Short mmCIF file of all heavy atoms in Angstrom, two decimals:
data_model
loop_
_atom_site.label_atom_id
_atom_site.label_comp_id
_atom_site.label_asym_id
_atom_site.label_seq_id
_atom_site.Cartn_x
_atom_site.Cartn_y
_atom_site.Cartn_z
N LEU B 78 3.67 -172.90 -174.18
CA LEU B 78 2.19 -173.16 -174.20
C LEU B 78 1.59 -172.77 -172.87
O LEU B 78 2.01 -173.30 -171.79
CB LEU B 78 1.89 -174.64 -174.47
CG LEU B 78 1.91 -175.15 -175.89
CD1 LEU B 78 3.35 -175.28 -176.37
CD2 LEU B 78 1.20 -176.46 -175.95
N GLU B 79 0.67 -171.91 -172.87
CA GLU B 79 0.00 -171.53 -171.65
C GLU B 79 -1.42 -172.08 -171.70
O GLU B 79 -2.11 -172.07 -172.72
CB GLU B 79 -0.18 -170.00 -171.54
CG GLU B 79 1.15 -169.24 -171.62
CD GLU B 79 1.94 -169.23 -170.30
OE1 GLU B 79 1.44 -169.89 -169.34
OE2 GLU B 79 3.03 -168.59 -170.25
N LEU B 80 -1.89 -172.64 -170.55
CA LEU B 80 -3.23 -173.17 -170.46
C LEU B 80 -3.55 -174.08 -171.62
O LEU B 80 -4.36 -173.84 -172.48
CB LEU B 80 -4.27 -171.97 -170.47
CG LEU B 80 -4.12 -170.99 -169.30
CD1 LEU B 80 -5.08 -169.83 -169.52
CD2 LEU B 80 -4.38 -171.71 -167.98
N ALA B 81 -2.85 -175.25 -171.58
CA ALA B 81 -3.01 -176.20 -172.72
C ALA B 81 -4.42 -176.62 -172.89
O ALA B 81 -5.17 -176.84 -171.93
CB ALA B 81 -2.11 -177.41 -172.39
N ALA B 82 -4.77 -176.86 -174.20
CA ALA B 82 -6.10 -177.28 -174.61
C ALA B 82 -5.93 -178.48 -175.53
O ALA B 82 -4.94 -178.66 -176.14
CB ALA B 82 -6.84 -176.15 -175.40
N PRO B 83 -6.99 -179.33 -175.59
CA PRO B 83 -6.92 -180.51 -176.48
C PRO B 83 -6.56 -180.19 -177.95
O PRO B 83 -5.91 -181.00 -178.63
CB PRO B 83 -8.31 -181.18 -176.34
CG PRO B 83 -8.72 -180.72 -175.03
CD PRO B 83 -8.24 -179.36 -174.78
N SER B 84 -6.99 -178.96 -178.40
CA SER B 84 -6.68 -178.57 -179.77
C SER B 84 -5.18 -178.35 -179.99
O SER B 84 -4.79 -178.26 -181.14
CB SER B 84 -7.45 -177.28 -180.09
OG SER B 84 -7.02 -176.29 -179.21
N GLN B 85 -4.39 -178.34 -178.95
CA GLN B 85 -2.98 -178.19 -179.09
C GLN B 85 -2.24 -179.51 -179.20
O GLN B 85 -1.03 -179.55 -179.28
CB GLN B 85 -2.39 -177.32 -178.00
CG GLN B 85 -2.91 -175.87 -178.05
CD GLN B 85 -2.36 -175.01 -176.95
OE1 GLN B 85 -2.58 -175.36 -175.76
NE2 GLN B 85 -1.72 -173.94 -177.23
N THR B 86 -2.99 -180.63 -179.17
CA THR B 86 -2.43 -181.94 -179.38
C THR B 86 -1.90 -181.94 -180.82
O THR B 86 -2.63 -181.74 -181.80
CB THR B 86 -3.44 -183.04 -179.23
OG1 THR B 86 -3.81 -183.05 -177.83
CG2 THR B 86 -2.91 -184.38 -179.61
N SER B 87 -0.59 -182.18 -180.98
CA SER B 87 0.05 -182.10 -182.28
C SER B 87 1.52 -182.50 -182.15
O SER B 87 1.99 -182.83 -181.11
CB SER B 87 -0.05 -180.66 -182.81
OG SER B 87 0.33 -180.57 -184.17
N VAL B 88 2.19 -182.53 -183.30
CA VAL B 88 3.67 -182.72 -183.30
C VAL B 88 4.23 -181.30 -183.60
O VAL B 88 3.81 -180.65 -184.55
CB VAL B 88 4.15 -183.69 -184.31
CG1 VAL B 88 5.66 -183.81 -184.28
CG2 VAL B 88 3.53 -185.07 -184.05
N TYR B 89 5.18 -180.85 -182.84
CA TYR B 89 5.79 -179.55 -182.94
C TYR B 89 7.17 -179.66 -183.53
O TYR B 89 8.01 -180.42 -182.94
CB TYR B 89 5.75 -178.81 -181.61
CG TYR B 89 4.34 -178.49 -181.20
CD1 TYR B 89 3.57 -179.42 -180.52
CD2 TYR B 89 3.81 -177.21 -181.43
CE1 TYR B 89 2.27 -179.11 -180.12
CE2 TYR B 89 2.52 -176.87 -181.08
CZ TYR B 89 1.72 -177.86 -180.40
OH TYR B 89 0.49 -177.53 -180.00
N PHE B 90 7.43 -178.96 -184.52
CA PHE B 90 8.81 -178.89 -185.15
C PHE B 90 9.37 -177.51 -185.10
O PHE B 90 8.70 -176.51 -185.35
CB PHE B 90 8.73 -179.35 -186.62
CG PHE B 90 8.42 -180.82 -186.82
CD1 PHE B 90 7.18 -181.23 -187.28
CD2 PHE B 90 9.44 -181.71 -186.66
CE1 PHE B 90 6.95 -182.56 -187.45
CE2 PHE B 90 9.19 -183.08 -186.86
CZ PHE B 90 7.90 -183.50 -187.26
N CYS B 91 10.66 -177.50 -184.70
CA CYS B 91 11.43 -176.24 -184.75
C CYS B 91 12.32 -176.38 -185.95
O CYS B 91 12.77 -177.45 -186.25
CB CYS B 91 12.22 -176.11 -183.46
SG CYS B 91 13.32 -174.71 -183.36
N ALA B 92 12.59 -175.28 -186.59
CA ALA B 92 13.45 -175.21 -187.74
C ALA B 92 14.28 -173.98 -187.72
O ALA B 92 13.87 -172.93 -187.23
CB ALA B 92 12.68 -175.30 -189.05
N SER B 93 15.54 -174.07 -188.29
CA SER B 93 16.30 -172.86 -188.58
C SER B 93 16.57 -172.80 -190.09
O SER B 93 16.42 -173.81 -190.79
CB SER B 93 17.61 -172.93 -187.78
OG SER B 93 18.45 -173.89 -188.28
N SER B 94 16.90 -171.61 -190.53
CA SER B 94 16.93 -171.41 -191.99
C SER B 94 18.20 -170.68 -192.42
O SER B 94 18.62 -169.74 -191.74
CB SER B 94 15.76 -170.66 -192.44
OG SER B 94 15.80 -170.23 -193.79
N LEU B 95 18.74 -171.12 -193.53
CA LEU B 95 19.84 -170.43 -194.17
C LEU B 95 19.38 -170.14 -195.57
O LEU B 95 19.18 -171.11 -196.38
CB LEU B 95 21.11 -171.22 -194.14
CG LEU B 95 22.31 -170.59 -194.85
CD1 LEU B 95 22.72 -169.32 -194.08
CD2 LEU B 95 23.52 -171.56 -194.89
N ALA B 96 19.21 -168.90 -195.91
CA ALA B 96 18.78 -168.48 -197.28
C ALA B 96 17.55 -169.24 -197.77
O ALA B 96 17.50 -169.60 -198.91
CB ALA B 96 19.93 -168.67 -198.28
N GLY B 97 16.65 -169.46 -196.85
CA GLY B 97 15.35 -170.08 -197.27
C GLY B 97 15.32 -171.58 -197.02
O GLY B 97 14.23 -172.15 -196.72
N LYS B 98 16.41 -172.29 -197.11
CA LYS B 98 16.38 -173.70 -196.86
C LYS B 98 16.26 -174.00 -195.35
O LYS B 98 17.11 -173.48 -194.61
CB LYS B 98 17.69 -174.38 -197.40
CG LYS B 98 17.71 -175.86 -197.22
CD LYS B 98 18.96 -176.45 -197.84
CE LYS B 98 19.13 -177.93 -197.56
NZ LYS B 98 20.33 -178.47 -198.19
N GLN B 99 15.27 -174.74 -194.98
CA GLN B 99 15.05 -174.97 -193.57
C GLN B 99 15.57 -176.32 -193.06
O GLN B 99 15.43 -177.31 -193.79
CB GLN B 99 13.51 -174.79 -193.27
CG GLN B 99 13.05 -173.41 -193.60
CD GLN B 99 11.68 -173.09 -193.03
OE1 GLN B 99 11.10 -173.81 -192.30
NE2 GLN B 99 11.16 -171.87 -193.40
N PHE B 100 16.09 -176.29 -191.90
CA PHE B 100 16.62 -177.43 -191.25
C PHE B 100 15.80 -177.74 -190.02
O PHE B 100 15.65 -176.84 -189.16
CB PHE B 100 18.13 -177.20 -190.84
CG PHE B 100 19.00 -176.90 -192.02
CD1 PHE B 100 19.01 -175.60 -192.55
CD2 PHE B 100 19.72 -177.90 -192.64
CE1 PHE B 100 19.86 -175.31 -193.59
CE2 PHE B 100 20.56 -177.58 -193.71
CZ PHE B 100 20.63 -176.33 -194.16
N PHE B 101 15.29 -178.96 -189.95
CA PHE B 101 14.33 -179.29 -188.91
C PHE B 101 14.88 -180.02 -187.74
O PHE B 101 15.81 -180.88 -187.94
CB PHE B 101 13.16 -180.04 -189.51
CG PHE B 101 12.25 -179.20 -190.33
CD1 PHE B 101 12.53 -178.90 -191.63
CD2 PHE B 101 11.03 -178.74 -189.74
CE1 PHE B 101 11.67 -178.11 -192.41
CE2 PHE B 101 10.20 -177.96 -190.49
CZ PHE B 101 10.52 -177.62 -191.77
N GLY B 102 14.34 -179.80 -186.54
CA GLY B 102 14.59 -180.65 -185.41
C GLY B 102 13.81 -181.97 -185.48
O GLY B 102 12.95 -182.10 -186.37
N PRO B 103 13.98 -182.83 -184.54
CA PRO B 103 13.34 -184.16 -184.57
C PRO B 103 11.91 -184.11 -184.17
O PRO B 103 11.15 -185.06 -184.38
CB PRO B 103 14.14 -185.00 -183.58
CG PRO B 103 14.72 -184.01 -182.63
CD PRO B 103 14.97 -182.76 -183.45
N GLY B 104 11.42 -182.98 -183.56
CA GLY B 104 10.01 -182.89 -183.22
C GLY B 104 9.72 -183.19 -181.78
O GLY B 104 10.44 -183.93 -181.13
N THR B 105 8.62 -182.63 -181.31
CA THR B 105 8.05 -182.95 -179.93
C THR B 105 6.60 -183.39 -180.17
O THR B 105 5.80 -182.62 -180.72
CB THR B 105 8.12 -181.73 -179.02
OG1 THR B 105 9.48 -181.40 -178.72
CG2 THR B 105 7.38 -182.08 -177.68
N ARG B 106 6.27 -184.59 -179.70
CA ARG B 106 4.91 -185.08 -179.84
C ARG B 106 4.16 -184.78 -178.53
O ARG B 106 4.51 -185.24 -177.45
CB ARG B 106 4.90 -186.59 -180.07
CG ARG B 106 3.53 -187.14 -180.40
CD ARG B 106 3.62 -188.63 -180.81
NE ARG B 106 4.43 -188.78 -182.08
CZ ARG B 106 3.89 -188.75 -183.27
NH1 ARG B 106 2.61 -188.53 -183.45
NH2 ARG B 106 4.61 -188.97 -184.30
N LEU B 107 3.20 -183.88 -178.65
CA LEU B 107 2.45 -183.37 -177.45
C LEU B 107 1.02 -183.85 -177.52
O LEU B 107 0.31 -183.72 -178.50
CB LEU B 107 2.50 -181.85 -177.42
CG LEU B 107 1.68 -181.17 -176.29
CD1 LEU B 107 2.34 -181.50 -174.92
CD2 LEU B 107 1.58 -179.68 -176.47
N THR B 108 0.60 -184.42 -176.36
CA THR B 108 -0.79 -184.76 -176.21
C THR B 108 -1.41 -184.05 -175.03
O THR B 108 -0.77 -184.01 -173.96
CB THR B 108 -0.97 -186.31 -175.99
OG1 THR B 108 -0.34 -187.02 -177.06
CG2 THR B 108 -2.39 -186.74 -175.88
N VAL B 109 -2.56 -183.47 -175.20
CA VAL B 109 -3.23 -182.74 -174.16
C VAL B 109 -4.54 -183.47 -173.87
O VAL B 109 -5.38 -183.61 -174.76
CB VAL B 109 -3.54 -181.29 -174.54
CG1 VAL B 109 -4.20 -180.53 -173.38
CG2 VAL B 109 -2.27 -180.55 -174.93
#
Side-chain angles (χ1 to χ4, degrees):
Chain B
L78 277 74
E79 305 280 2
L80 299 174
S84 61
Q85 293 178 304
T86 293
S87 191
V88 180
Y89 291 84
F90 289 103
C91 177
S93 69
S94 170
L95 179 64
K98 181 178 175 179
Q99 296 194 6
F100 299 81
F101 285 83
T105 294
R106 188 174 297 271
L107 176 68
T108 302
V109 182

